[in-house]
Structures are given as C-alpha cells and as structure tokens.
Amino acid sequence: MPKKIVLLPGDGIGPEIVAEARKVLEKVDQLFKLDLSFETDLIGGSALDVHGVPLADSTLDRCRSADAILMGSVGGPKWDHFEPALRPEKGLLRLRYDLGLYANLRPAILYPQLADASTLKREVVAGLDILIVRELTGGIYFGKPRGIRTLENGEREGFNTYVYAEHEIERIGRTAFEMARKRKGKLCSVDKANVLEVTVLWREVMDRLAPEYPDVQLSHMYVDNAAMQLVRAPKQFDVIVTGNMFGDILSDAAAMLTGSIGMLPSAALNKESRGLYEPVHGSAPDIAGQGIANPLATILSASMMLRYSLAQKEAADAIDAAVGRVLDQGYRTADIYSEGMKKVGTAEMGDAVVAALAN
Ligand code: IPM
Ligand code: MG
C-alpha cells in the first residue's frame, strides 16, 4: 500500500515552499523506495475563496485517511477582515483539533553555518539545540466559553477561557519526558503558576509524572522568566514543555535565536503518531509569489514527517544531511544571506537539496 501524503500548500508563500518539499520527497521516494503517493488540497484563505470555509469537510476527511499531512502556511491580508470563525487560521486550528494533534514538536537548532545570521552574539547561540514541546489542542486557544458580549451598559467585553484537564496535561507531559529522555535528559516546564490556577495544576501534574522518568531532570520556570532566559542564555534549555499559547509565543522567540524562522520545521502528532507537519513561519504575504522564500523549513518538516509518522529514519537523515550540505556549499535564500554566499531563490534552493541528495 502506498503511503498517502496530503499536501496542503495554503496561502502566501505556502504553494512555493511546499512545491520544493515535494521535489525533495519525490527524490527520497525514488532513492529509498518509500512508495509515497501525493494528494493536494486547500486550506486557509485559498479554501475560503473556493469553499467559503477555511477547511472543507472533504479536506478534513482526506486528511483523516492520510498517513501524514504536509502544510505550507495560512493567512494573508485578503482575509484579515473576515469574522473570527472564518479566518484562514481557523482551518488550521480545526485540523489540529479534529485530528487530535495535541503534541507539537518545535525544534530550534542553530546550523553552525548560520551562526552569524542570529541577531544574538555568536557565543550565546553557537551549538543551540532546543526542543519546544507545545500543547496544541487545548488551553486558551480552545477553552469555552469564549466570545465578545455586550454588557448591560452597552460596552462590549471580549473573553476567553484558559482551561486544562489533567489528562491533557499528562499526555503532553509524557511526550515531553519521552523526548527529553532521548536527548540530554533535561526538561523545563513553563507555566504561570504564580498567578494562574490552571498552571498550578499543570505544575502539579508534571511533578507527579517526574518519578516515572528518573533519568530526566525536571525543572519549572515562569513564562516571563522563560522568555527572558531564552534570549539571555538559551543554551541552558534542552526540552521545554508548555501550554498552547505560551508555546506559540516562546517558539517564535526560540526560532529567531537561530537567525531565521525560515529554517524551522514542526510536527503536530496525535496519539498514534500520525501528524501534520509544517514550517514554524507564516505565510509571508509580503514576499509571496516572488520565488524568494526559504523552503528549508518545509523541507525539514518533510524530513520530520518521514521520521515520526512514516518510520523512515534513513530517508529523514538523508534530507537533514542534504540541507547541511547545501548550507556548506554556500547556498542562501535572502533571509539567511550574508556576504560572500550564493544568493538563491526558492526553487534553486529546492533543486540544490535534491542535487545534494543524489550524491
Ligand atoms: C503557529 C501559528 C498559529 C498558532 C496560527 C496561524 C493559528 O502562529 O502555528 O504558531 O497560533 O498556533
Ligand atoms: Mg505562532
């Protein structure tokens, strides 16, 4: 049976970068005989334009029956004024929620070749290798009640609910402990337990799990301090586990430590390790259609897909190595360019990775 990959290019630079990832997947398919098959569908603004909703039921069904999903990015100014329920982002949120993709892995790795692309000093970030494990289907993103209501005095009030049930905390905690165990054995749980009860419970559950993972050293940190520590001394972290919103924010900060958000892949897994893979960056409407976006985050997301959902470690390693090789060769898209390097566009970068795979 061929492995079914659903491609969801989405909006903005999404189609350009997913096209490059597909080239790379087709190449490893050929080299490693993976028997991959591809189907392409709509999400976000492009789905709104065609179906009037940011994720059609037919797309959801197709994704449900897939072995893995590779997404580009969603959103753009064209749809910014849409009501909250019809924003492009809702398509992505529904996909995450309905497929139960609660475990979001966001590695932030600094490629030695790009140590000078970071806005932080080289010695602060050299060798950086952090994994953020973000809870993705709960917390304030999905808590109810939510909305905007009108009070008796006519003033409007917006409200959301920050809620986590113990089982939600426990399962993401286990993912994080397991990940830490395979790395340097350090896990930092990030919360706001000095103010928010929901994270008092979060901290309690993490502490309760700790004795089951004696090889992992668990610590706790408040989110404001974690934001500060991430830019002050990021190498103190190995694995960070946190809730949906804190993870959203901290993962952007962590991404920038590496110099370019254009380099960072992510995985969102459910309990069977089926998953949705996407770059951490957004749809970058300002550069869409120009052929200059960096496809490496999406290519590396394809590698994570092979590793986590398709159990094809060798093919995944080959992609990671090929990306290292093109960086060694000096290929750089505009976002990671520095003087003396070879400036290339999206497609040339994809072609360079394909060529590096072949040797
Ligand atoms: C992310 C994005 C999404 C999020 C948006 C597009 C809904 O910022 O994946 O980090 O907030 O989760
Ligand atoms: Mg985000």
Tab-separated table of all heavy atoms in Angstrom, residues 288-310:
chain	number	residue	atom	x	y	z
A	288	ALA	N	5.230	36.802	-1.072
A	288	ALA	CA	4.588	35.693	-1.796
A	288	ALA	C	4.665	35.907	-3.301
A	288	ALA	O	4.573	37.035	-3.785
A	288	ALA	CB	3.141	35.561	-1.360
A	289	GLY	N	4.872	34.824	-4.019
A	289	GLY	CA	4.860	34.884	-5.475
A	289	GLY	C	6.149	35.389	-6.094
A	289	GLY	O	6.286	35.436	-7.314
A	290	GLN	N	7.104	35.738	-5.272
A	290	GLN	CA	8.352	36.290	-5.824
A	290	GLN	C	9.451	35.242	-5.999
A	290	GLN	O	10.527	35.546	-6.506
A	290	GLN	CB	8.883	37.410	-4.917
A	290	GLN	CG	7.952	38.609	-4.822
A	290	GLN	CD	8.470	39.663	-3.850
A	290	GLN	OE1	9.672	39.826	-3.672
A	290	GLN	NE2	7.565	40.358	-3.198
A	291	GLY	N	9.185	34.047	-5.507
A	291	GLY	CA	10.197	32.996	-5.648
A	291	GLY	C	11.441	33.229	-4.812
A	291	GLY	O	12.531	32.766	-5.168
A	292	ILE	N	11.308	33.930	-3.692
A	292	ILE	CA	12.500	34.187	-2.869
A	292	ILE	C	12.402	33.595	-1.464
A	292	ILE	O	13.339	33.683	-0.677
A	292	ILE	CB	12.803	35.708	-2.757
A	292	ILE	CG1	11.619	36.449	-2.125
A	292	ILE	CG2	13.130	36.291	-4.128
A	292	ILE	CD1	11.939	37.920	-1.800
A	293	ALA	N	11.258	32.987	-1.136
A	293	ALA	CA	11.077	32.443	0.212
A	293	ALA	C	12.025	31.266	0.450
A	293	ALA	O	12.407	30.556	-0.485
A	293	ALA	CB	9.636	31.991	0.398
A	294	ASN	N	12.367	31.066	1.692
A	294	ASN	CA	13.243	29.960	2.073
A	294	ASN	C	12.412	28.673	2.220
A	294	ASN	O	11.554	28.594	3.093
A	294	ASN	CB	13.904	30.322	3.410
A	294	ASN	CG	14.944	29.311	3.837
A	294	ASN	OD1	15.041	28.227	3.274
A	294	ASN	ND2	15.722	29.669	4.841
A	295	PRO	N	12.668	27.659	1.412
A	295	PRO	CA	11.873	26.426	1.513
A	295	PRO	C	12.412	25.431	2.540
A	295	PRO	O	11.848	24.357	2.730
A	295	PRO	CB	12.000	25.830	0.107
A	295	PRO	CG	13.381	26.224	-0.323
A	295	PRO	CD	13.646	27.588	0.298
A	296	LEU	N	13.520	25.784	3.212
A	296	LEU	CA	14.188	24.761	4.037
A	296	LEU	C	13.350	24.320	5.239
A	296	LEU	O	13.372	23.143	5.611
A	296	LEU	CB	15.569	25.248	4.485
A	296	LEU	CG	16.597	25.381	3.345
A	296	LEU	CD1	17.928	25.909	3.863
A	296	LEU	CD2	16.807	24.051	2.614
A	297	ALA	N	12.587	25.237	5.840
A	297	ALA	CA	11.765	24.825	6.985
A	297	ALA	C	10.741	23.770	6.556
A	297	ALA	O	10.445	22.832	7.304
A	297	ALA	CB	11.054	26.030	7.595
A	298	THR	N	10.211	23.932	5.347
A	298	THR	CA	9.219	22.968	4.865
A	298	THR	C	9.898	21.656	4.472
A	298	THR	O	9.376	20.569	4.715
A	298	THR	CB	8.445	23.562	3.663
A	298	THR	OG1	8.116	24.905	3.980
A	298	THR	CG2	7.176	22.787	3.393
A	299	ILE	N	11.063	21.761	3.887
A	299	ILE	CA	11.831	20.560	3.532
A	299	ILE	C	12.206	19.788	4.803
A	299	ILE	O	12.092	18.562	4.870
A	299	ILE	CB	13.073	20.966	2.701
A	299	ILE	CG1	12.604	21.454	1.313
A	299	ILE	CG2	14.074	19.818	2.592
A	299	ILE	CD1	13.683	22.096	0.453
A	300	LEU	N	12.600	20.529	5.836
A	300	LEU	CA	12.936	19.871	7.104
A	300	LEU	C	11.673	19.323	7.791
A	300	LEU	O	11.737	18.330	8.523
A	300	LEU	CB	13.684	20.839	8.029
A	300	LEU	CG	15.101	21.211	7.530
A	300	LEU	CD1	15.653	22.418	8.294
A	300	LEU	CD2	16.071	20.026	7.668
A	301	SER	N	10.533	19.942	7.529
A	301	SER	CA	9.264	19.402	8.053
A	301	SER	C	8.957	18.070	7.364
A	301	SER	O	8.456	17.131	7.995
A	301	SER	CB	8.099	20.375	7.813
A	301	SER	OG	8.332	21.607	8.461
A	302	ALA	N	9.253	18.002	6.073
A	302	ALA	CA	9.070	16.739	5.345
A	302	ALA	C	9.974	15.662	5.940
A	302	ALA	O	9.586	14.493	6.064
A	302	ALA	CB	9.368	16.942	3.865
A	303	SER	N	11.161	16.060	6.352
A	303	SER	CA	12.066	15.106	6.984
A	303	SER	C	11.491	14.621	8.323
A	303	SER	O	11.507	13.424	8.631
A	303	SER	CB	13.438	15.764	7.169
A	303	SER	OG	14.099	15.210	8.269
A	304	MET	N	10.937	15.563	9.112
A	304	MET	CA	10.301	15.152	10.377
A	304	MET	C	9.143	14.186	10.112
A	304	MET	O	8.916	13.239	10.851
A	304	MET	CB	9.754	16.367	11.140
A	304	MET	CG	10.796	17.214	11.821
A	304	MET	SD	10.038	18.507	12.865
A	304	MET	CE	10.004	17.723	14.470
A	305	MET	N	8.442	14.428	9.025
A	305	MET	CA	7.314	13.566	8.659
A	305	MET	C	7.778	12.131	8.412
A	305	MET	O	7.170	11.164	8.881
A	305	MET	CB	6.649	14.141	7.405
A	305	MET	CG	5.547	13.306	6.847
A	305	MET	SD	4.771	14.172	5.474
A	305	MET	CE	5.741	13.529	4.143
A	306	LEU	N	8.886	12.014	7.681
A	306	LEU	CA	9.423	10.680	7.415
A	306	LEU	C	9.863	10.020	8.720
A	306	LEU	O	9.666	8.827	8.940
A	306	LEU	CB	10.602	10.767	6.447
A	306	LEU	CG	10.251	11.247	5.037
A	306	LEU	CD1	11.509	11.519	4.226
A	306	LEU	CD2	9.377	10.222	4.315
A	307	ARG	N	10.430	10.810	9.603
A	307	ARG	CA	10.957	10.276	10.859
A	307	ARG	C	9.849	9.849	11.818
A	307	ARG	O	9.849	8.737	12.337
A	307	ARG	CB	11.832	11.354	11.519
A	307	ARG	CG	12.722	10.863	12.649
A	307	ARG	CD	13.564	12.005	13.236
A	307	ARG	NE	14.434	12.671	12.267
A	307	ARG	CZ	15.584	12.182	11.814
A	307	ARG	NH1	16.019	11.021	12.249
A	307	ARG	NH2	16.303	12.859	10.929
A	308	TYR	N	8.878	10.726	12.028
A	308	TYR	CA	7.894	10.471	13.092
A	308	TYR	C	6.650	9.725	12.640
A	308	TYR	O	6.081	8.953	13.396
A	308	TYR	CB	7.488	11.787	13.770
A	308	TYR	CG	8.594	12.407	14.576
A	308	TYR	CD1	9.240	13.558	14.153
A	308	TYR	CD2	9.008	11.829	15.783
A	308	TYR	CE1	10.264	14.125	14.898
A	308	TYR	CE2	10.020	12.387	16.533
A	308	TYR	CZ	10.655	13.534	16.084
A	308	TYR	OH	11.662	14.091	16.824
A	309	SER	N	6.167	9.982	11.433
A	309	SER	CA	4.914	9.326	11.032
A	309	SER	C	5.137	8.132	10.119
A	309	SER	O	4.308	7.237	10.071
A	309	SER	CB	3.971	10.315	10.336
A	309	SER	OG	3.399	11.193	11.276
A	310	LEU	N	6.246	8.122	9.363
A	310	LEU	CA	6.430	7.038	8.396
A	310	LEU	C	7.572	6.097	8.773
A	310	LEU	O	7.859	5.159	8.040
A	310	LEU	CB	6.654	7.620	6.991
A	310	LEU	CG	5.533	8.542	6.491
A	310	LEU	CD1	5.843	9.093	5.113
A	310	LEU	CD2	4.197	7.825	6.456
